[in-house]
Amino acid sequence: MLSDSLARNDLSLGATMHFTSSGDRRYFRPRGYRMLGAPRMIVHLINPSDNSFGTAVITPRWLFVLAAATPRSMGDPTLVDESIEQLDPETIHAGDIVGISVHTGNALRGYEVGKLAHERGATVVYGGIHATLFPEEPFEYGAADVVVKGDGDIAWGQVLRDIQAGCAGRIYDGGKIEGDDFLAARWDLMQTDKYMWASVQTIRGCPKHCSFCSVWRTDGQKPRQRSFEKVIDEIIDLRRLGFRFIALADDNFYPVTLTDLRLAREQNNAEKLESLLAIRAERFSLMAELAKLPKDMVFFTQITMESAEDTEYLDAMRRANIKGALVGVEAVTPEGLKAVFKDFNYSGDRLVQQLQTFREHGVHVLGSFIFGLPTDKPSTFGATVELALKAGVTFAQFVMMTPFPGTVDFGRWEKEQAENPEMVGDIPITRYWLIPTAIRPKMFTPHPSMSSDEIRERTQGVWDRFYDLSAVWKRSACTPTLRARVAFVLLSKLYRQMYAGTGISTDSARRKKAKSSARWIARQTRKIFQSKPMPELIYPTWEPRAKVRPQLTQVQISNRI
């Protein structure tokens, strides 16, 4: 994405424009165009957010990747992460270029930022997953000049060069680039004292098709994998800067399951099997190299529940110091799993066993659970938190069902609303991200047996119970030292405040209190996560790779399963 990946034009300032015969390209001078000899235009990259905490848990990777994609001839871009501090509009001047990445959750704030930049004479470019799904929306609501769909690693540089030359198009499609084209981030531009964890991406795309997730539609179901050499080099960049906690920011760190291999073998599909084995082998090569890095490094990622059946893979993760993973549990009942197209997960006691398997092999779980499914009952909430506690889940998030654009759930809901849409003011509920936060409903789809307020209150109760101080302290025993236990407690409380306190609270007073508390906890937690830089850390010397892997015979393929 022009978000791990990333703009309407006021022509009153002397810019000229015309359309080609296809009508999809326009030629203009950038707004506030500077004549020869004037100061150069500045490129700004802005990560919009309504919630600024002074310190962020994880770096917004797209911000630094797009900085790397900015042509060096245009100078270093100015980076603004509003999850730390809000944008100062006075820093934007006529003739500048402002890139804004939006996902559905921050789209409204992103449009506000775009309008601010437009008013100050900047050329405004939008990208990100939301702009990919709704490329016309930023023109209507965000004063866009240009929109970029898809991956921005290559497209962003082309957009900047076209704007500079006065021949920018209206909509660019960055597509889905191959893993070898993923850019390493410009971490040298980061405020290292503002983030607890850094982030590195190793793969994009997910082969699953969960009904509530848009990744498989926007990033594709074909895994696109970076070479492990490039991943390791970027991680060393970060450790040299003082980061030892790294999030492997992947859609799915476990792209090939044992079931995938078995099915390919049963279908006698040698080509598919060879491709799957190559992806899997690259994963193991990456983990083997991660294991050689300084032992104080800690990695966290995101995987599917099926990986619990692959203990060889979990053991490789443990050796690689991948100590935790976000795992999409979603629901604890067979009916709930079927409702979200995730019936490849187990439920009940078998689910508890699966979750415990992760911990037995040294991988701690951040379990993700969804409330508000049509199959949910009042008893579901208590059963969910009981299961999470029984299974020994280290962290957990409990989210209310939200139909995100690009998902099967959203498509179904939008179709249901088509004839007689519910309105909030003059905005249909199916465009809920355009509704001001103060009046935006907390849930968007009616539940057959519970009100939205009941679901919200019960969800809040689950957060409170799971993150009760005594329960958090008990779970902190998984860490090796007292200092680590204190860090665990602070991080747990911060996570609860940032996501439950500011996301579920309905009145502004509670949200303001939650933000204030989160800012204080974030400052204290950041101190514990600080690490001493290791500028002496040496980069490995990599052997050149053969461009084409040798073809395996059917016998060799069978022997490798």
Side-chain angles (χ1 to χ4, degrees):
M1 290 292 125
L2 197 51
S3 75
D4 205 286
S5 43
L6 202 205
R8 174 179 132 171
N9 197 43
D10 182 353
L11 301 174
S12 62
L13 299 177
T16 59
M17 152 179 157
H18 74 267
F19 289 92
T20 63
S21 57
S22 63
D24 63 353
R25 193 168 184 83
R26 58 183 175 176
Y27 296 80
F28 60 86
R29 289 175 178 173
R31 302 189 70 244
Y33 183 76
R34 292 185 172 104
M35 300 302 291
L36 186 64
R40 67 171 177 82
M41 64 179 68
I42 295 175
V43 177
H44 304 257
L45 293 170
I46 301 172
N47 182 42
S49 176
D50 283 321
N51 296 320
S52 299
F53 298 104
T55 301
V57 177
I58 300 176
T59 52
R61 180 173 173 77
W62 79 266
L63 200 64
F64 303 95
V65 169
L66 267 290
T70 302
R72 291 301 179 103
S73 62
M74 302 184 76
D76 291 340
T78 297
L79 310 184
V80 177
D81 181 1
E82 287 200 313
S83 66
I84 297 174
E85 295 295 345
Q86 294 285 288
L87 168 73
D88 177 4
E90 298 295 322
T91 61
I92 298 174
H93 302 92
D96 288 350
I97 302 172
V98 174
I100 305 166
S101 177
V102 287
H103 53 77
T104 301
N106 71 357
L108 189 59
R109 173 56 187 169
Y111 296 155
E112 292 171 355
V113 170
K115 286 184 286 189
L116 284 172
H118 174 84
E119 288 168 1
R120 295 190 61 79
T123 299
V124 183
V125 186
Y126 283 92
I129 190 169
H130 192 81
T132 296
L133 292 166
F134 297 100
E136 294 295 336
E137 193 176 273
F139 295 105
E140 183 177 358
Y141 294 98
D145 290 294
V146 181
V147 166
V148 180
K149 304 191 300 181
D151 292 336
D153 307 55
I154 297 173
W156 175 241
Q158 187 60 52
V159 169
L160 292 179
R161 286 187 286 269
D162 286 354
I163 291 174
Q164 192 174 44
C167 61
R170 186 171 183 271
I171 296 177
Y172 290 72
D173 192 347
K176 299 179 181 67
I177 63 174
E178 293 301 320
D180 287 344
D181 293 322
F182 294 0
L183 291 181
R186 283 284 308 275
W187 296 121
D188 58 303
L189 299 180
M190 172 176 49
Q191 298 181 71
T192 57
D193 61 338
K194 296 295 184 180
Y195 298 97
M196 300 178 203
W197 290 63
S199 55
V200 172
Q201 191 172 43
T202 78
I203 197 166
R204 294 179 194 169
C206 179
K208 302 304 176 185
H209 57 276
C210 303
S211 71
F212 54 85
C213 181
S214 64
V215 163
W216 58 280
R217 288 188 162 181
T218 57
D219 275 2
Q221 290 184 279
K222 174 190 173 184
R224 295 173 286 137
Q225 187 166 227
R226 287 175 86 189
S227 69
F228 68 81
E229 295 95 337
K230 292 181 179 179
V231 173
I232 296 299
D233 283 346
E234 189 172 350
I235 290 172
I236 291 176
D237 286 343
L238 288 162
R239 187 63 191 92
R240 286 164 64 96
L241 289 172
F243 283 89
R244 68 183 187 92
F245 294 88
I246 309 287
L248 303 176
D250 299 329
D251 299 322
N252 183 357
F253 190 78
Y254 184 61
V256 176
T257 70
L258 295 181
T259 300
D260 294 332
L261 295 173
R262 176 179 58 79
L263 290 175
R265 185 182 184 188
E266 290 175 354
Q267 295 163 2
N268 292 317
N269 190 335
E271 183 178 354
K272 182 177 181 181
L273 187 54
E274 172 66 3
S275 174
L276 293 174
L277 286 169
I279 294 171
R280 182 175 171 88
E282 185 75 16
R283 296 277 91 188
F284 276 95
S285 295
L286 170 62
M287 291 187 283
E289 293 299 328
L290 289 173
K292 299 175 185 177
L293 293 171
K295 296 305 178 184
D296 68 343
M297 298 199 73
V298 176
F299 299 97
F300 179 90
T301 192
Q302 178 171 278
I303 52 180
T304 59
M305 185 70 76
E306 295 158 296
S307 55
E309 301 169 6
D310 193 344
T311 55
E312 179 188 9
Y313 200 89
L314 294 182
D315 287 340
M317 290 176 64
R318 174 181 50 78
R319 292 191 295 270
N321 287 318
I322 302 174
K323 296 186 181 296
L326 188 153
V327 179
V329 183
E330 321 313 350
V332 301
T333 65
E335 298 80 12
L337 292 169
K338 187 175 181 180
V340 294
F341 296 6
K342 205 157 188 174
D343 43 0
F344 54 82
N345 276 11
Y346 291 133
S347 60
D349 288 339
R350 291 195 71 185
L351 172 57
V352 170
Q353 287 180 329
Q354 265 196 320
L355 290 168
Q356 290 175 339
T357 298
F358 286 102
R359 189 162 184 170
E360 290 166 2
H361 289 267
V363 179
H364 294 277
V365 169
L366 191 170
S368 180
F369 301 85
I370 297 175
F371 290 134
L373 301 174
T375 57
D376 284 352
K377 304 172 184 177
S379 60
T380 301
F381 298 84
T384 299
V385 71
E386 288 290 347
L387 185 142
L389 293 168
K390 181 180 179 180
V393 170
T394 309
F395 289 91
Q397 62 183 28
F398 308 96
V399 299
M400 294 187 295
M401 180 66 185
T402 301
F404 284 108
T407 66
V408 172
D409 290 337
F410 184 88
R412 183 190 302 126
W413 176 52
E414 191 174 37
K415 188 175 181 179
E416 292 170 352
Q417 287 277 325
E419 291 187 9
N420 186 26
E422 179 184 345
M423 305 293 289
V424 179
D426 59 352
I427 301 173
I429 193 69
T430 54
R431 296 297 180 267
Y432 58 85
W433 54 88
L434 299 175
I435 301 171
T437 305
I439 60 172
R440 187 184 300 171
K442 290 297 175 182
M443 288 197 69
F444 312 109
T445 55
H447 192 273
S449 62
M450 290 182 284
S451 69
S452 295
D453 282 344
E454 181 181 359
I455 293 171
R456 181 188 62 79
E457 290 169 4
R458 290 184 180 276
T459 301
Q460 187 74 67
V462 171
W463 276 97
D464 292 344
R465 184 174 173 193
F466 188 84
Y467 286 98
D468 175 77
L469 184 58
S470 61
V472 171
W473 181 252
K474 182 179 179 180
R475 289 196 295 275
S476 72
C478 68
T479 61
T481 66
L482 178 60
R483 178 183 172 87
R485 292 191 76 172
V486 172
F488 183 97
V489 171
L490 286 173
L491 190 60
S492 295
K493 287 298 184 181
L494 176 62
Y495 192 79
R496 186 242 173 269
Q497 287 297 102
M498 291 177 76
Y499 293 98
T502 63
I504 297 177
S505 301
T506 52
D507 65 86
S508 58
R510 286 180 64 187
R511 285 176 60 86
K512 184 176 181 180
K513 182 178 179 181
K515 287 182 184 180
S516 177
S517 177
R519 287 179 71 92
W520 183 87
I521 297 173
R523 285 197 299 271
Q524 311 315 311
T525 308
R526 172 69 188 90
K527 295 174 185 177
I528 295 176
F529 278 92
Q530 283 180 326
S531 304
K532 185 178 179 181
M534 293 183 67
E536 72 281 4
L537 190 60
I538 303 299
Y539 296 92
T541 300
W542 304 113
E543 293 293 331
R545 287 205 190 197
K547 289 185 179 295
V548 180
R549 288 190 175 91
Q551 295 296 310
L552 300 187
T553 66
Q554 185 64 50
V555 172
Q556 287 174 314
I557 291 172
S558 298
N559 289 339
R560 288 177 61 173
I561 298 179

